Amino acid sequence: IRNGAVEAIEAVFGGNWHLNRGFVYTLPAPARGYRPREDLTDCAAKLPTAGKVVAELKFAFWRFLFLKGQQPRIWDPHLAATFPGYDKALTLSEARARLFDDIDEVRKLRNRIAHHEPIFARNLHEDHQRIRRIIEWRRPDVAAWLDSTQQVTALLSRRP
């Protein structure tokens, strides 16, 4: 997710995208909760390179890049190149929205796991499908490899 987003951002804002005020001001600055604009400016002020900034930004940051407001600037021109396996039956807007929804659900799953909270009530099959879809859209060859090595599907079928 993050590498695809970085490729698209760099295509629009250049290699120093993390310092580009035009990009920074496209990010939301909500009064409460996670603040992607603030997170980026804090990381950019402390870290010497875009690569270091990418590594430090929270997973939630990348989700914000798939908001509708980024559609014309980033995703209309670059979604097909950065997520070449996306479902071509969808419009670019629908594909971006699907990515946003999938990323948000994966983020929720990740947060529950990271905080040692139960995930048994979740539809884990659907979570697996979302993760696989993101991988397939980003790198179809990696999704094919994953299909040949993963054991999650068999494990979920044995779930009580």
Side-chain angles (χ1 to χ4, degrees):
I1 296 167
R2 144 184 117 173
N3 292 347
V6 169
E7 285 177 26
I9 295 166
E10 285 179 345
V12 176
F13 294 100
N16 286 325
W17 59 270
H18 62 297
L19 302 173
N20 184 310
R21 292 177 73 152
F23 171 66
V24 171
Y25 287 109
T26 70
L27 298 170
R32 289 180 282 144
Y34 177 70
R35 298 175 179 164
R37 186 185 303 175
E38 187 176 311
D39 194 15
L40 176 59
T41 55
D42 288 351
C43 286
K46 293 186 288 189
L47 300 166
T49 66
K52 299 274 185 191
V53 170
V54 167
E56 285 299 313
L57 289 169
K58 294 172 183 57
F59 187 60
F61 177 85
W62 305 106
R63 173 185 159 264
F64 277 95
L65 294 181
F66 291 88
L67 288 172
K68 184 178 181 179
Q70 299 291 4
Q71 184 76 38
R73 189 182 311 67
I74 295 175
W75 301 117
D76 282 344
H78 301 291
L79 189 131
T82 56
F83 290 88
Y86 85 96
D87 181 352
K88 307 305 187 284
L90 301 174
T91 66
L92 291 174
S93 181
E94 291 167 338
R96 187 237 2 113
R98 170 80 55 86
L99 277 167
F100 177 85
D101 291 343
D102 285 351
I103 291 165
D104 194 42
E105 288 301 316
V106 170
R107 180 190 63 81
K108 291 173 186 174
L109 172 66
R110 177 237 168 253
N111 286 351
R112 289 196 68 87
I113 293 168
H115 296 133
H116 305 282
E117 297 171 359
I119 60 171
F120 304 111
R122 292 185 61 91
N123 183 336
L124 296 174
H125 176 72
E126 190 173 292
D127 288 330
H128 177 257
Q129 289 304 109
R130 288 177 189 273
I131 292 166
R132 194 210 173 275
R133 182 171 42 243
I134 293 168
I135 293 168
E136 180 178 31
W137 285 20
R138 175 70 177 135
R139 293 285 184 246
D141 55 330
V142 174
W145 171 81
L146 180 66
D147 289 342
S148 71
T149 61
Q150 65 88 13
Q151 299 175 22
V152 174
T153 306
L155 183 63
L156 288 176
S157 70
R158 295 192 311 264
R159 181 180 180 184

